[in-house]
Amino acid sequence: MSDNSKIEWTDATWNPVRGCSKVSPGCLHCYAETFAERFRGVPGHPFEFGFDLRLVPEKLGDPIRWSKPKKIFVNSMSDLFHEGVPDEYIEKVCRVMLAANWHTYQVLTKRADRMAALLQGKLRHAAEAAHIWWGVSVENRAHGLPRIAKLRGAKPAVAFLSIEPLLEDLGNFDLDGIKWVIVGGESGPGSRPMQAAWARGIRDLCQDRGVPFFFKQWGGVRKKITGRRLDGRTHDEFPDIVSNPIPSGSSRDGLLEGMAHV
């Protein structure tokens, strides 16, 4: 886990799964794959096997060890609902999130069908927990907008959209049931440009519907230069964050011991 994430909308990352595979146009220039493949073949490195999918059970208990409340992006280097991740393992991840409820978890997927099915079944308790936010990636109309409908149908307590990379104008889409929207352009070599009108349209839609709006970046090859100001200002809105009591060190040790047997 990294407690100093450079991702603007989170504090830390937690990767009990590593690696993934492409499913839609938003995956074309995957930052996680680019990073992981740099270390393929390096003995002992977390990404010794590149971006091949791997379960990392030794990382499951990490959030319990953290006493300071954080916003935690779950599987920044993977997708929890990848078809190669067993239901039983996803359930273990959710047990940790439910146990370590002094944190706020941000779970993001492009595999909305599987997530929606599990949130309406085995993961219903996790779906109802206000400290766990469930989101889908939305890059275009054809692939992204159907994911929103799937997410809405699952009815989690907090549903959010990561509209990044935004690859086209999404039009006037339905935000019913959505509690947060992130928008960003693609970054890195070969990045596809985002037009300002596309981002403004989503911002205005969020303002009209009272949905918190977070503008992450314009992107491009040199994203630090293009920055993250939209029409002269930053947009850093979040949903309400639940405040739950932080257990003592001994209580957290007990939680860790209990997690070892699930």
Side-chain angles (χ1 to χ4, degrees):
M1 182 188 286
S2 169
D3 64 350
N4 189 26
S5 175
K6 294 182 180 179
I7 300 171
E8 290 82 355
W9 45 263
T10 199
D11 300 321
T13 57
W14 173 42
N15 286 284
V17 182
R18 296 178 188 143
C20 199
S21 55
K22 292 179 169 62
V23 294
S24 68
C27 302
L28 181 61
H29 299 129
C30 177
Y31 76 90
E33 179 184 37
T34 300
F35 176 85
E37 288 298 330
R38 289 170 53 196
F39 301 100
R40 181 180 288 277
V42 178
H45 193 278
F47 291 98
E48 176 182 357
F49 301 99
F51 209 48
D52 297 349
L53 185 76
R54 295 177 61 217
L55 307 184
V56 194
E58 62 268 27
K59 302 295 290 181
L60 280 171
D62 280 0
I64 298 173
R65 299 183 179 96
W66 286 39
S67 60
K68 182 180 178 181
K70 294 180 179 294
K71 295 187 295 292
I72 300 175
F73 180 15
V74 180
N75 283 339
S76 62
M77 298 295 292
S78 184
D79 187 328
L80 183 62
F81 295 96
H82 190 283
E83 53 275 14
V85 181
D87 284 3
E88 294 76 15
Y89 193 79
I90 297 174
E91 289 180 78
K92 288 183 178 181
V93 172
C94 287
R95 288 190 196 109
V96 172
M97 294 192 291
L98 288 168
N101 65 356
W102 56 96
H103 300 301
T104 300
Y105 299 90
Q106 301 154 315
V107 186
L108 182 62
T109 187
K110 288 186 174 70
R111 293 162 171 85
D113 287 332
R114 187 180 184 199
M115 181 178 75
L118 287 171
L119 291 185
Q120 293 172 89
K122 297 177 180 179
L123 305 184
R124 191 66 238 170
H125 288 309
E128 294 169 349
H131 71 287
I132 306 176
W133 303 352
W134 302 94
V136 293
S137 296
V138 180
E139 70 266 47
N140 59 18
R141 296 188 183 205
H143 299 85
L145 295 186
R147 294 184 190 127
I148 301 176
K150 291 290 184 181
L151 175 65
R152 180 182 297 111
K155 298 181 179 179
V158 180
F160 75 97
L161 309 179
S162 175
I163 305 179
E164 182 189 10
L166 177 56
L167 300 178
E168 66 177 2
D169 181 11
L170 297 182
N172 187 19
F173 60 97
D174 187 4
L175 283 177
D176 184 46
I178 303 302
K179 301 294 180 65
W180 187 35
V181 172
I182 305 163
V183 169
E186 190 169 54
S187 61
S191 55
R192 295 158 286 183
M194 175 179 65
Q195 294 186 21
W198 305 345
R200 289 190 182 109
I202 298 169
R203 176 202 60 193
D204 295 347
L205 185 62
C206 288
Q207 290 178 346
D208 182 61
R209 305 296 170 80
V211 177
F213 174 77
F214 192 103
F215 186 68
K216 181 175 180 284
Q217 64 182 30
W218 287 104
V221 178
R222 304 176 72 184
K223 70 175 186 177
K224 289 185 179 180
I225 293 178
T226 56
R228 51 184 305 268
R229 295 173 69 87
L230 174 59
D231 291 336
R233 55 159 290 195
T234 56
H235 297 265
D236 297 321
E237 298 172 356
F238 285 90
D240 292 337
I241 293 178
V242 175
S243 179
N244 287 316
I246 305 168
S248 65
S250 59
S251 295
R252 295 200 309 277
D253 288 343
L255 286 174
L256 279 170
E257 186 176 348
M259 288 295 124
H261 301 293
V262 300

